[in-house]
């Protein structure tokens, strides 16, 4: 597919699963601007939030504290999501287990509003889905190079020893392989 084919195409549509803990029913808000609803919920994390090095483990709990507010164009979702992170340090390959608090804010447009914006989040029926918003926000918030600690010393490039556990780890000076066969020569000539 060429770039010109991609330019006019919209992202594939993903239907909303009303059973998901990241989907909210906004029926009670109606379409009255100013109506507000606060919700706290725990939901299992879906697959694939993160990258190959660090991310949110599938099924781990996501704590959501969300405020839904009806506005003229749609529903404004604002809140915080607490997620667990798991991965490994980019320097020493030690497992990383951490938590992160992610700020969420997204406007979900009612059908017919801003029809030219194909990438806008939309209200579908009486439902909004926070999963795409959460996924994008978490991935952008992840560290580019995850570290177990800021001063991680990494692994020894010669033998792979963890330099955090063995800070005095050293190797003898490497011998140039072209001269390696002569290493015992001086001792032999002196005896």
């Amino acid at each position: 597919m060429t770039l010109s084919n991609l330019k006019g195409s919209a992202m594939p549509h993903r239907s909303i699963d009303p059973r998901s803990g990241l989907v909210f029913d906004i029926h009670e808000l109606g379409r009255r601007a100013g109506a507000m609803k606060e919700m706290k919920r725990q939901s299992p994390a879906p697959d694939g939030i993160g990258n190959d090095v660090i991310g949110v483990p599938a099924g781990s709990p996501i704590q959501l504290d969300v405020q839904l507010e009806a506005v003229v164009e749609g529903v404004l979702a604002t809140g915080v999501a607490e997620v667990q992170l798991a991965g490994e340090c980019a320097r020493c390959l030690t497992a990383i287990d951490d938590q992160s608090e992610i700020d969420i804010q997204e406007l979900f447009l009612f059908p017919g509003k801003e029809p030219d914006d194909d990438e806008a989040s939309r209200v579908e029926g009486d439902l909004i889905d926070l999963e795409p918003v959460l996924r994008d926000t978490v991935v952008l918030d992840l560290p580019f190079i995850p570290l177990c600690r800021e001063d991680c010393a990494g692994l020894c490039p010669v033998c792979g020893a963890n330099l955090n556990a063995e800070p005095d780890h050293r190797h003898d000076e490497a011998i140039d392989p072209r001269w390696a066969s002569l290493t015992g020569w001086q001792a032999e000539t002196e005896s």
Side-chain angles (χ1 to χ4, degrees), residues 83-131:
V83 297
Q84 294 179 351
L85 298 177
E88 62 183 28
C89 177
R91 290 185 188 158
C92 70
L93 306 179
T94 301
I96 297 175
D97 290 313
D98 200 4
Q99 290 190 353
S100 183
E101 190 172 282
I102 308 297
D103 292 325
I104 298 172
Q105 185 170 32
E106 184 75 8
L107 176 61
F108 292 85
L109 298 174
F110 289 130
K113 300 285 185 178
E114 302 287 336
D116 296 338
D117 192 352
D118 293 333
E119 295 182 17
S121 298
R122 303 257 177 212
V123 173
E124 292 187 28
D126 286 333
L127 303 175
I128 61 171
D129 187 3
L130 290 181
E131 182 180 334

Side-chain angles (χ1 to χ4, degrees), residues 11-67:
M11 296 293 290
H13 180 72
R14 184 175 77 80
S15 62
I16 293 179
D17 180 3
R19 299 168 296 177
S20 169
L22 298 173
V23 172
F24 291 84
D25 188 340
I26 59 162
H27 178 73
E28 292 176 21
L29 288 177
R31 294 196 176 200
R32 299 176 317 273
M36 189 174 13
K37 182 178 181 181
E38 291 190 18
M39 302 182 78
K40 292 185 182 203
R41 169 184 302 182
Q42 180 175 314
S43 173
D47 289 335
I49 297 181
N51 55 44
D52 293 339
V53 182
I54 191 165
V56 179
S60 65
I62 297 176
Q63 299 290 337
L64 293 166
D65 186 358
V66 181
Q67 176 179 312

Side-chain angles (χ1 to χ4, degrees), residues 126-140:
D126 286 333
L127 303 175
I128 61 171
D129 187 3
L130 290 181
E131 182 180 334
V133 176
L134 181 69
R135 183 180 303 277
D136 292 347
T137 307
V138 168
V139 169
L140 290 173

Side-chain angles (χ1 to χ4, degrees), residues 129-187:
D129 187 3
L130 290 181
E131 182 180 334
V133 176
L134 181 69
R135 183 180 303 277
D136 292 347
T137 307
V138 168
V139 169
L140 290 173
D141 197 54
L142 290 174
F144 184 67
I145 300 175
L147 299 176
C148 59
R149 61 184 204 213
E150 288 297 319
D151 63 342
C152 178
L155 301 175
C156 173
V158 176
C159 68
N162 187 336
L163 299 176
N164 296 315
E166 301 176 42
D168 296 330
H169 179 80
R170 301 280 183 267
H171 290 276
D172 293 334
E173 191 172 324
I175 298 173
D176 187 329
R178 297 173 292 181
W179 303 104
S181 61
L182 298 176
T183 55
W185 177 75
Q186 184 176 5

